[in-house]
Amino acid sequence: MAEPIAEPKNDVKCFVCDLGFSSAKWISGGKKGRVLSVYQNRGGGEDPLIGEDALDNPGGVAYLRTPQHLVKHYRFFLEKCLDEAGVKGAVKVGVGLPVQFYEEQSKIKGGAVDALKTSLISERVKDVTVLPQGIGGIRSYMITDGKEKTGLVLGIDLGFNTLIYTLFDPKRSKVVFTDTLYKRGISQLASNYLMPKIADFTTGLSMTPVELSRLMEQGYITNGTDKIDLLPEIKSAAGEYMEAILAEIMEDVRANISITRPLETIIFFGGGSNHLRGKIGSDKIEVKILPEPEYANARGFRSFLEG
C-alpha cells in the first residue's frame, strides 16, 4: 500500500526501486510503498506472482537469497512496484545492488550490473541507473543532515539477509572501506537471537525467516484467543545482536581510522534498524538511526537521479 512521502524539490519523472531480501521499497513523486520479496513461479510461461499475490495463492512461495537472485527477478518486482505506484508512461528508474557486489560486477563488461540494466528496459522504463545499496543511505544522510563533517561516517545498512557497512570520507567524497555480510541481517537476529527467547510461544509452528521478520514488525503473536506481547523479547534480542555485530564491524574497520582521520558519526538504516531504537548510543561519537530507515537507500537513489 502506498504511503505519503515528502514531495521532491525537482520532480523529473523518476522512479526508484530498492529491492532487498525482505522487500522492494519504491518511491515515486509524493508516494512510497513496499512489496514483499517473495514470489511464486507459474507454468505456461507466465510471469511469477509477486509479493502479497504470491502469499495469498496456494502452493508456497520462494525467497530471494543471493545478489544473483536479485538480478534475475528484479524485472518482475519492478513491474509490480510500478503497478502499485500507478505509474503511467515511460520513466527513468534507479535500482540498487549490495555495494560490494555492485563494485565487483560494475568492473566486468557484461556482468551483473550491465545485465540488470538490459533486463529492466521496457516500454515503461526508458533509462536505468544501477546504484550501490549502502551508499544510498549515506548519501541520504549527507544531503539532509546539514552539518559539515570533519571525520569519517560509518553507515550500517541492516537489511533482512545482508548487513552492509561502509566507511565514508565526506571530505574526499570517497568510500574508505566497505563489506557485505550475507545471512547476517534481520534473518540472523530473528533465527539466532529471538527464536530461543520465544520458543515457548511458537511450539508447533513452522516459521520461515520472512515470517519471523513480519512477526518482529508486528510485535506480538496470537495463541488461540490470547495475544502475547513479544516486544520485551524482541528488544532484548536486538540489543544482544547489535552488541555482537557492532563489535565485529569495529574490529574490521579499525585499521582505517586514525587520529588524523577519526570516526565522527555512525548511522544505521535499512528496515532492521527500527528494532534498534533505544539500544544504541555513545558519549564519544554521534550515533543515530535515520528517519524511515527502510527507505534511506531509496531516498539516496532518488537524490542521485535528480542531480
Side-chain angles (χ1 to χ4, degrees), residues 87-103:
V87 172
K88 307 295 182 184
V91 292
K92 67 176 185 177
V93 169
V95 298
L97 291 172
V99 57
Q100 192 173 32
F101 182 72
Y102 167 87
E103 290 188 343

Side-chain angles (χ1 to χ4, degrees), residues 76-285:
F76 306 116
F77 282 92
L78 175 60
E79 287 290 333
K80 178 69 173 178
C81 292
L82 288 167
D83 289 343
E84 288 207 351
V87 172
K88 307 295 182 184
V91 292
K92 67 176 185 177
V93 169
V95 298
L97 291 172
V99 57
Q100 192 173 32
F101 182 72
Y102 167 87
E103 290 188 343
E104 293 168 355
Q105 292 296 315
S106 62
K107 298 173 183 176
I108 303 173
K109 186 175 181 180
V113 172
D114 289 342
L116 181 58
K117 288 181 180 179
T118 301
S119 70
L120 297 184
I121 295 295
S122 69
E123 291 182 358
R124 305 176 75 181
V125 178
K126 63 182 179 181
D127 184 65
V128 177
T129 301
V130 182
L131 297 160
Q133 294 168 343
I135 304 300
I138 293 177
R139 180 181 175 92
S140 175
Y141 167 70
M142 296 299 296
I143 63 176
T144 58
D145 183 65
K147 299 176 183 177
E148 183 179 355
K149 300 298 177 186
T150 58
L152 301 177
V153 174
L154 175 61
I156 301 176
D157 183 357
L158 184 57
F160 174 70
N161 200 42
T162 57
L163 190 148
I164 302 172
Y165 52 100
T166 305
L167 198 60
F168 183 76
D169 186 344
K171 280 189 172 181
R172 299 171 178 81
S173 191
K174 180 181 179 182
V175 172
V176 177
F177 180 86
T178 186
D179 199 1
T180 302
L181 304 182
Y182 295 100
K183 300 182 181 179
R184 300 294 293 277
I186 291 303
S187 175
Q188 184 193 33
L189 192 169
S191 299
N192 295 3
Y193 290 81
L194 178 61
M195 273 301 290
K197 296 180 183 296
I198 64 173
D200 290 343
F201 307 130
T202 58
T203 302
L205 293 178
S206 177
M207 303 189 72
T208 66
V210 169
E211 289 170 332
L212 274 171
S213 178
R214 295 183 73 182
L215 179 67
M216 291 180 68
E217 290 186 17
Q218 182 175 282
Y220 66 87
I221 191 171
T222 55
N223 185 1
T225 59
D226 295 330
K227 182 178 177 180
I228 303 169
D229 180 16
L230 298 180
L231 286 179
E233 288 80 8
I234 293 171
K235 291 179 179 178
S236 176
E240 292 174 10
Y241 172 76
M242 203 60 247
E243 183 177 346
I245 203 68
L246 189 56
E248 182 177 345
I249 291 172
M250 292 308 299
E251 183 66 28
D252 207 17
V253 303
R254 187 167 286 119
N256 298 283
I257 300 170
S258 66
I259 294 176
T260 57
R261 193 166 63 176
L263 177 61
E264 181 179 359
T265 306
I266 299 177
I267 57 171
F268 288 86
F269 51 96
S273 299
N274 285 310
H275 299 297
L276 305 181
R277 298 192 186 280
K279 296 294 179 182
I280 59 174
S282 173
D283 296 330
K284 299 178 182 179
I285 60 176

Side-chain angles (χ1 to χ4, degrees), residues 62-74:
Y63 304 91
L64 302 177
R65 301 184 185 279
T66 67
Q68 288 79 9
H69 278 160
L70 296 180
V71 174
K72 181 178 179 180
H73 295 91
Y74 225 123

